Amino acid sequence: MTSTFGKGCHLHLIDGSAFIFRAYHALPPLTRKSDGLPIGAVSGFCNMLQRYVTDNHGADAPTHLAVIFDKGSHTFRNDLYDLYKANREAMPEDLRPQIPLTRAATEAFNIACKEIEGYEADDIIATLAVQARDAGGRVTIVSSDKDLMQLVGDGVEMLDAMKNRRIDRDGVFEKFGVFPERVVDVQALAGDSVDNVPGAPGIGIKTAALLINEYGDLDTLLERAGEIKQPKRRQTLTEKRDQIELSRKLVQLDRDTPLDFTLDDLELRDPDPDRLMAFLAEMEFRTLTRRIADQLGIDPPVIAEKPAQETAETPPEQPPFDAAAYECVHDADALRGWIDRIRDRGRVAVDTETTGLDEMVAGLVGISLCVDAGSACYIPLTHKAGATDDLFGSDQLAEGQMPLDEALALLKPVLEDDAILKIGQNMKYDAKILARHGIDVAPVDDTMLMSYAMHGGEHGHGMDFLSDTYLDHRPIPIKPLLGSGKSAITFDRVAVDDATRYAAEDADITLRLWETFKPQLHRAGVTTVYETLERPLIPVLAQMEMHGIKVDRDTLSRMSNAFAQKMAGLEADLHDMAGRDFNVQSPAQVGAVLFEDMGLEGGKKTKTGQWSTPANVLEDLATEHEFAARVLDYRQLQKLKSTYTDALQTHINAETGRVHTSYSITGANTGRLASTDPNLQNIPVRTEEGRRIREAFVAEPGNVLLSLDYSQIELRILAHIAGIDALKAAFADGQDIHAMTASEMFDVPLEEMTPEVRRRAKAINFGVIYGISGFGLARNLRIPRAEAQGFIDRYFERFPGIRTYMDDTIAFAKEHGYVQTLFGRRIHTPEINAKGPHAGFARRAAINAPIQGTAADVIRRAMIRMPDAIDGLPARMLLQVHDELLFEVAGDAVDATIAAARRTMEGAADPAVKLDVKLTVDAGKGSNWAEAH
DNA sequence: GACATCACG
DNA sequence: GACGTACGTGATGTCC
């Protein structure tokens, strides 16, 4: 029987974050012996919890106890002020994986462990403290955070566990110069640099307390600010009134946080010895396990002295693969059994089987699940009965399958449960398939993204390769099941037995890869990259892809017809000029006409022995020869028609009327995204004719397309990374960066700059980013190689930091086998120590990767924050084109959306990286993409 | 399926 | 002294 909280009860509330950080900083970086998982903070946390419970037996002993944690990074305070806590340092790499373990530790001690999405721990503490006080009980808040001091009084005290000092009303007065009732007023004026609360500039705690004590409270002070004698203070309080009142809202704790539990749920409980011992043993805390076992009067469990693993590649011990052991789930009872096991384990590998690769169209055929290595099942859902050529049975569902709706209804609570981790290989695919059936999968882990974070640049990240490499197991190939060519079938035509072996194995492999990769992430130093740049991108991209962009078929169709007509005319002209028929689309045949029939000099052959006729060669010939000019015209139209105006029409989704690209998170080694099916990152823009294709990308009626793009982001990042003061200054002054470079290099004053000189400097600026060579620049500018080399020498002379950056980067790559972005993304450069021409490529790629990769990281960060930033606005993020984000927004919210999106993009590096160069974003709007860009 | 070409940042 | 040479992508058509 539990009693009701009231007089005589004493609630202790532990600020979980404070405990964790103290434990982290108090202890050396210990790691778990068996696998190297960092465990120091968890160890310290457990020690502190254990001591707290056993040492508190006197008059202040708790009758109720809870550890309160923060949850989610976005709270109502971010809505009030988006810079709230914006300058907080990123969490240390080796602490991040320990956070969930501290919650597990609290639960293992059988202490109430509470957190509420969207609220800070301080608000929950405030609410509980007020409830307990109102019920007539005592409260001890275990924290030294001054933000909590506003709660002290009437039986509420704070305990600074570090100094073992209790803080009452007098203690608060000592700290703030006012009693708890007025602490918020003082904080509103003084601000807080740690949480980035602005306050009143120039006023600290001392002055704030003085003013509050003189005028009584903040409202009175602000009302009567005009009476203040000191002119500076008077001006500040008058002019910064809004900022001060905002600051008050930020520091005021919410005492009405909605709680899904009561004070009575926090009653002190004895730990369950088995559970506690199991946890401590799993963490391999030998000393602590023994000490607590002694206290509980039980025998400590034996913790095996497992040797540290030899290499990071050694997979954990796992049972052999056994396709015969996979279960085919036919009914609800069997599925419930699996769901119980999933809930038990708190995690599950999931894989969906579908009728195709286009997630917007493909039908769901079955789902496979795996809870432990070797223990997997397949749930067939929409397999068709009989042979494919069976005229009568072919569209009937096969027997022994659960109704789709019933299976999904059972799975939905699990797939959406916050406490159950869903593991996938390329989870964005499965998430989109399930989203079309009303299931919002979360939280997720993705083995493909883990591999990308650890091994980007080393190899691909497909499941077959990963399984072969890291599990030493070749998966069942899909080819024999589906066939190929004309006779290929879709997965719903695969026999259920075969499907079970194939699909369940995929889930099994995924789980084993996860068990292999998870502990390796921090050893590879990429936990933060995975957690902040990869994993959170999954739902963001899934939403963008599912929303799609409206493309007007009529516009494209009309353009296709116009192109076809022009091309037919050009083709006839070209045949006339050649004096014979030939295929204009064949470079080899064009070359034959030019260099054989017409006998032109200077033709080069490709490595396969065919005539080479790339655009730059034809351009050189075009001044003299009409034929070459017409071939170029033809090729441009051919490209626009086949790749864009024709192909895009086939990508318009029949249901949505929109085009849904698919972004590959792991597609580019540098961290850039890649867009496929269709590629919407290479829609023409550089020529007038091509740009018109963008007119077909339109907003819905009443809406507008917005385009926001980073201005010169890679050059800005180069200026920061290489520390080029002249470039930094030019960006700070908002100068034309290419003109500045030209002026500096060629000694031409800015006001006398010619377009030609500027063009050369621009080519050099870009060349630098790409790992410039005299040959490459010469070809690009069509100048003699010696002259190009002269420009480069001059450039390095004027901006010596560039040379240093290049040399240092290559030296780093040679030593470590990878280079890094400012955010810690690692791009491996396996060829850097190779001999021969390979090395040249690898060197230039190594020089480019930190720059291109940092820019890619920046826009990823912006994209991940964007849904929150535009929350509440009638706006959607549609596309990403490397340095550009495209939005669709209702006409009346254009300005608000531009403001929110620009702020998010320009501040995307903060707080993890403090750039020496500000990022600026240009915005455009219009009814179509051509206008908006 | 490799190659050449060309669209984008 | 020669070698090849701007970075990162995806889609299309030819040719074998």
Side-chain angles (χ1 to χ4, degrees):
Chain A
M1 238 206 64
T2 53
S3 57
T4 306
F5 189 94
K7 211 169 173 58
C9 292
H10 191 166
L11 169 65
H12 286 223
L13 295 167
I14 294 174
D15 178 353
S17 305
F19 252 45
I20 293 171
F21 278 97
R22 245 183 67 208
Y24 177 74
H25 291 295
L27 285 165
L30 310 172
T31 54
R32 183 158 69 184
K33 200 165 183 184
S34 64
D35 63 358
L37 181 74
I39 212 82
V42 184
S43 166
F45 185 89
C46 289
N47 266 300
M48 287 159 64
L49 265 191
Q50 191 263 337
R51 285 227 185 87
Y52 195 84
V53 176
T54 52
D55 293 357
N56 260 307
H57 281 304
D60 295 327
T63 60
H64 294 67
L65 173 63
V67 183
I68 312 294
F69 292 96
D70 296 316
K71 182 157 193 204
S73 55
H74 189 97
T75 70
F76 69 91
R77 291 186 180 85
N78 299 101
D79 295 333
L80 288 171
Y81 183 55
D82 56 7
L83 293 177
Y84 179 69
K85 292 203 173 176
N87 57 4
R88 194 164 27 167
E89 280 300 306
M91 186 176 293
E93 176 79 19
D94 57 335
L95 177 55
R96 191 173 296 277
Q98 302 190 64
I99 302 298
L101 294 175
T102 57
R103 284 168 176 62
T106 310
E107 279 163 3
F109 276 92
N110 206 13
I111 293 171
C113 169
K114 299 296 179 188
E115 57 193 352
I116 295 173
E117 180 70 42
Y119 287 90
E120 292 185 55
D122 288 359
D123 295 312
I124 303 171
I125 291 173
T127 304
L128 288 170
V130 168
Q131 285 182 7
R133 182 169 64 196
D134 291 350
R138 284 183 66 193
V139 180
T140 296
I141 298 169
V142 187
S143 172
S144 49
D145 188 343
K146 58 188 182 327
D147 293 342
L148 289 162
M149 292 194 178
Q150 57 184 277
L151 300 168
V152 169
D154 286 339
V156 179
E157 291 184 351
M158 286 179 64
L159 175 65
D160 183 342
M162 194 87 113
K163 297 173 188 145
N164 199 23
R165 196 169 74 94
R166 297 189 80 81
I167 301 167
D168 54 11
R169 285 175 60 80
D170 292 336
V172 173
F173 190 88
E174 213 173 287
K175 173 90 190 166
F176 276 104
V178 293
F179 286 106
E181 303 77 33
R182 297 274 77 85
V183 162
V184 168
D185 292 353
V186 168
Q187 285 185 290
L189 287 170
D192 183 347
S193 58
V194 178
D195 291 347
N196 211 29
V197 173
I203 294 183
I205 288 185
K206 289 260 166 60
T207 313
L210 203 75
L211 289 166
I212 293 297
N213 283 325
E214 187 176 342
Y215 288 86
D217 60 39
L218 184 61
D219 286 325
T220 313
L221 172 66
L222 292 174
E223 284 302 311
R224 296 169 52 194
E227 302 169 18
I228 297 172
K229 294 171 199 76
Q230 298 88 339
K232 193 81 188 271
R233 284 184 199 167
R234 187 171 62 232
Q235 190 187 355
T236 305
L237 289 181
T238 314
E239 286 179 0
K240 302 286 178 182
R241 181 166 183 161
D242 289 352
Q243 188 174 313
I244 294 165
E245 287 180 335
L246 169 68
S247 298
R248 173 161 58 179
K249 286 187 187 149
L250 293 175
V251 298
Q252 178 73 56
L253 297 179
D254 180 359
R255 301 175 178 206
D256 294 310
T257 305
L259 304 177
D260 53 3
F261 56 92
T262 68
L263 290 172
D264 298 329
D265 296 329
L266 309 182
E267 196 166 8
L268 198 60
R269 296 167 296 210
D270 285 330
D272 169 352
D274 290 343
R275 188 171 170 207
L276 180 52
M277 286 298 130
F279 176 80
L280 297 173
E282 191 192 336
M283 294 294 109
E284 299 168 20
F285 298 150
R286 289 177 178 75
T287 315
L288 187 62
T289 306
R290 226 177 296 118
R291 190 163 78 226
I292 292 180
D294 280 352
Q295 279 169 8
L296 295 172
I298 59 174
D299 289 330
V302 178
I303 300 172
E305 287 278 348
K306 282 182 260 177
Q309 281 165 10
E310 294 288 303
T311 67
E313 278 70 35
T314 310
E317 249 177 61
Q318 290 176 331
F321 281 91
D322 178 9
Y326 298 139
E327 179 184 334
C328 184
V329 172
H330 299 287
D331 56 43
D333 279 345
L335 180 53
R336 284 193 196 96
W338 280 93
I339 288 172
D340 287 345
R341 298 182 54 195
I342 292 168
R343 292 203 169 278
D344 222 40
R345 299 296 273 132
R347 55 122 202 263
V348 59
V350 183
D351 188 32
T352 55
E353 302 302 333
T354 63
T355 55
L357 291 174
D358 181 349
E359 314 92 307
M360 288 300 294
V361 177
L364 180 58
V365 177
I367 298 174
S368 50
L369 306 169
C370 176
V371 287
D372 281 300
S375 175
C377 70
Y378 177 61
I379 313 154
L381 296 168
T382 62
H383 282 262
K384 298 283 177 25
T388 52
D389 56 357
D390 180 343
L391 282 176
F392 301 101
S394 60
D395 277 337
Q396 299 268 315
L397 285 179
E399 300 207 344
Q401 300 184 98
M402 289 180 67
L404 180 64
D405 290 346
E406 187 185 4
L408 293 179
L410 285 169
L411 285 169
K412 182 176 161 83
V414 175
L415 295 175
E416 296 186 343
D417 191 326
D418 271 355
I420 297 170
L421 181 68
K422 274 67 67 174
I423 302 156
Q425 162 76 9
N426 189 15
M427 197 64 173
K428 177 159 70 66
Y429 180 89
D430 305 277
K432 284 171 74 177
I433 294 290
L434 291 164
R436 283 177 47 219
H437 291 89
I439 295 176
D440 195 7
V441 185
V444 298
D445 249 343
D446 191 325
T447 49
M448 185 177 78
L449 301 189
M450 290 179 169
S451 172
Y452 181 60
M454 290 191 287
H455 303 290
E458 258 173 69
H459 54 62
H461 313 285
M463 186 164 74
D464 289 359
F465 179 88
L466 297 180
S467 177
D468 194 14
T469 306
Y470 296 100
L471 305 176
D472 197 22
H473 172 75
R474 286 173 191 274
I476 302 168
I478 188 74
K479 262 271 177 62
L481 297 184
L482 299 183
S484 63
K486 270 186 99 172
S487 60
I489 56 170
T490 46
F491 201 82
D492 55 339
R493 304 277 176 188
V494 173
V496 170
D497 286 355
D498 290 334
T500 299
R501 283 187 286 272
Y502 170 83
E505 188 196 66
D506 274 4
D508 190 6
I509 290 169
T510 302
L511 189 98
R512 292 175 197 240
L513 284 174
W514 181 79
E515 289 186 327
T516 306
F517 288 160
K518 190 81 178 172
Q520 291 176 352
L521 278 177
H522 72 269
R523 269 181 272 169
V526 293
T527 306
T528 303
V529 169
Y530 173 73
E531 291 291 344
T532 64
L533 296 172
E534 315 289 354
R535 192 162 82 123
L537 211 51
I538 296 172
V540 176
L541 291 178
Q543 284 295 321
M544 290 168 69
E545 294 169 13
M546 287 191 288
H547 200 252
I549 182 166
K550 186 171 181 183
V551 172
D552 185 68
R553 185 188 300 276
D554 287 349
T555 304
L556 292 177
S557 174
R558 274 197 298 272
M559 293 176 85
S560 278
N561 291 336
F563 290 147
Q565 274 198 354
K566 278 197 190 172
M567 285 164 68
L570 281 169
E571 186 179 30
D573 292 348
L574 284 163
H575 288 173
D576 272 357
M577 282 186 253
R580 65 179 175 95
D581 281 3
F582 68 99
N583 186 349
V584 189
Q585 302 204 105
S586 164
Q589 292 183 36
V590 168
V593 172
L594 279 168
F595 305 118
E596 290 170 16
D597 296 6
M598 296 171 65
L600 298 183
E601 298 291 317
K604 291 214 179 99
K605 296 209 171 167
T606 67
K607 59 183 165 186
T608 52
Q610 301 293 335
W611 287 111
S612 169
T613 61
N616 61 335
V617 170
L618 296 183
E619 279 162 14
D620 288 344
L621 296 172
T623 49
E624 301 271 323
H625 301 281
E626 180 74 9
F627 181 85
R630 294 289 83 83
V631 171
L632 284 168
D633 291 342
Y634 182 92
R635 280 197 186 160
Q636 190 197 6
L637 297 178
Q638 154 70 17
K639 183 78 176 183
L640 295 178
K641 183 171 185 294
S642 69
T643 309
Y644 301 104
T645 56
D646 285 352
L648 274 174
Q649 294 185 59
T650 71
H651 284 284
I652 297 175
N653 185 290
E655 268 178 58
T656 65
R658 298 169 76 96
V659 170
H660 306 265
T661 185
S662 182
Y663 288 103
S664 164
I665 304 176
T666 62
N669 285 335
T670 53
R672 274 194 179 179
L673 302 179
S675 160
T676 62
D677 309 304
N679 181 355
L680 295 186
Q681 291 182 320
N682 70 347
I683 304 301
V685 71
R686 290 172 186 172
T687 66
E688 178 52 38
E689 281 202 293
R691 185 157 51 235
R692 294 208 49 206
I693 289 170
R694 296 189 172 216
E695 293 172 9
F697 290 76
V698 295
E700 293 285 351
N703 284 26
V704 173
L705 291 184
L706 289 185
S707 163
L708 285 88
D709 68 291
Y710 285 107
S711 164
Q712 307 286 9
I713 186 168
E714 291 193 355
L715 275 175
R716 287 171 198 263
I717 286 165
L718 172 72
H720 172 93
I721 293 184
I724 315 297
D725 290 334
L727 281 181
K728 288 189 208 169
F731 280 124
D733 297 347
Q735 280 185 41
D736 175 337
I737 201 69
H738 302 309
M740 188 287 283
T741 308
S743 168
E744 187 73 26
M745 281 185 60
F746 302 112
D747 290 323
V748 181
L750 275 178
E751 47 281 4
E752 291 170 29
M753 188 56 54
T754 66
E756 177 54 27
V757 175
R758 182 180 180 279
R759 188 179 77 87
R760 292 183 169 199
K762 182 176 175 179
I764 298 167
N765 274 333
F766 279 109
V768 164
I769 291 173
Y770 299 150
I772 200 159
S773 76
F775 185 92
L777 184 65
R779 198 175 54 176
N780 187 282
L781 286 176
R782 302 193 189 183
I783 56 176
R785 191 172 158 178
E787 194 181 347
Q789 190 56 53
F791 290 170
I792 295 169
D793 294 344
R794 185 107 176 128
Y795 190 94
F796 286 154
E797 215 174 277
R798 291 297 164 102
F799 307 106
I802 302 278
R803 176 91 268 167
T804 314
Y805 163 73
M806 290 182 163
D807 293 345
D808 291 353
T809 302
I810 287 163
F812 186 95
K814 283 186 169 170
E815 187 186 340
H816 297 98
Y818 64 84
V819 292
Q820 263 180 312
T821 68
L822 289 181
F823 297 91
R825 174 186 301 285
R826 294 183 179 183
I827 297 119
H828 293 267
T829 56
E831 300 273 77
I832 195 83
N833 289 316
K835 295 272 172 272
H838 286 326
F841 281 109
R843 270 205 300 276
R844 291 190 297 274
I847 288 165
N848 174 257
I851 302 168
Q852 185 180 119
T854 298
D857 290 347
V858 166
I859 198 165
R860 279 186 182 218
R861 290 168 64 91
M863 292 172 73
I864 288 163
R865 294 175 183 177
M866 199 57 75
D868 274 346
I870 62 173
D871 188 30
L873 291 167
R876 299 289 298 245
M877 182 160 59
L878 305 185
L879 301 178
Q880 188 249 44
V881 192
H882 310 308
D883 64 358
E884 172 188 7
L885 293 175
L886 192 73
F887 298 82
E888 183 171 9
V889 54
D892 56 359
V894 167
D895 292 340
T897 304
I898 291 178
R902 171 178 273 145
R903 205 162 45 223
T904 306
M905 289 173 74
E906 292 183 344
D910 307 324
V913 170
K914 181 86 195 89
L915 289 175
D916 296 339
V917 184
K918 68 174 181 200
L919 298 178
T920 65
V921 166
D922 298 325
K925 61 180 171 183
S927 60
N928 63 59
W929 197 2
E931 285 176 20
H933 186 77

